[in-house]
Structure formats: C-alpha cells, structure tokens
Amino acid sequence: MIDPNEQGAVRALDDTHIPTYPFSGEQMTYTNRHRIHSQNVLAVCDFDMRFNYVYAGWEGSIHDTRILEFVLMPPSDFLILPFRS
C-alpha cells in the first residue's frame, strides 16, 4: 500500500486480469499463469479513488512489467502529474 502522505506519491497503479473469450487461434496467448483466459489491464488511480489512466487489451500471458515498460516508452500518453496538496 502506498501512503498518500509519502513525499512525492501522487498515484497508485496495479495490473489486473479480466476474463475474456479469445478466438480459437489466440487462446494460448490469452492464457495467464493460472491457466485462465484473460486480458491484462493496467490501471492508475489517485488517492481519491478516481481512475486517471487505464490501458486494456494486453494478452493474459504478458507480464505486468512488460506492459508498464511499454506504456512508459516514448511517445507516451502516460502522464506523471505533479503532486497537489
């Protein structure tokens, strides 16, 4: 858990898996480590529980770190906003 009072902490992010029903030719790539077909979704929210960023559609077999690395590569629409008190 990130402490919202921590210096510089402005958002919290996490990945989650959403169940999906892929086409027969894509079933292996959408199979996650629990052997369930899913899409991996990156979500960012502020400490008022408002979503600021959602990136959906990655195959369930893709690791969370790969998605974050992709989102942060330029050109990126992932904005890191300054802290407001």
Side-chain angles (χ1 to χ4, degrees):
M1 181 72 182
I2 298 173
D3 181 1
N5 297 317
E6 187 70 31
Q7 188 73 355
V10 295
R11 307 283 185 268
L13 66 89
D14 197 10
D15 285 276
T16 188
H17 287 264
I18 307 296
T20 189
Y21 300 96
F23 295 113
S24 61
E26 298 178 333
Q27 289 181 348
M28 286 300 292
T29 59
Y30 282 89
T31 303
N32 65 28
R33 63 188 171 106
H34 300 289
R35 297 188 177 147
I36 298 171
H37 297 133
S38 66
Q39 285 187 347
N40 200 340
V41 178
L42 171 70
V44 179
C45 67
D46 62 20
F47 292 105
D48 292 324
M49 302 302 287
R50 294 179 297 208
F51 283 100
N52 301 121
Y53 187 86
V54 175
Y55 193 86
W58 281 86
E59 298 90 344
S61 63
I62 302 299
H63 194 276
D64 300 351
T65 304
R66 183 168 176 210
I67 298 169
L68 182 59
E69 287 174 347
F70 179 82
V71 167
L72 295 176
M73 284 187 334
S76 176
D77 59 352
F78 185 86
L79 300 175
I80 300 175
L81 302 175
F83 179 73
R84 290 183 286 154
S85 56

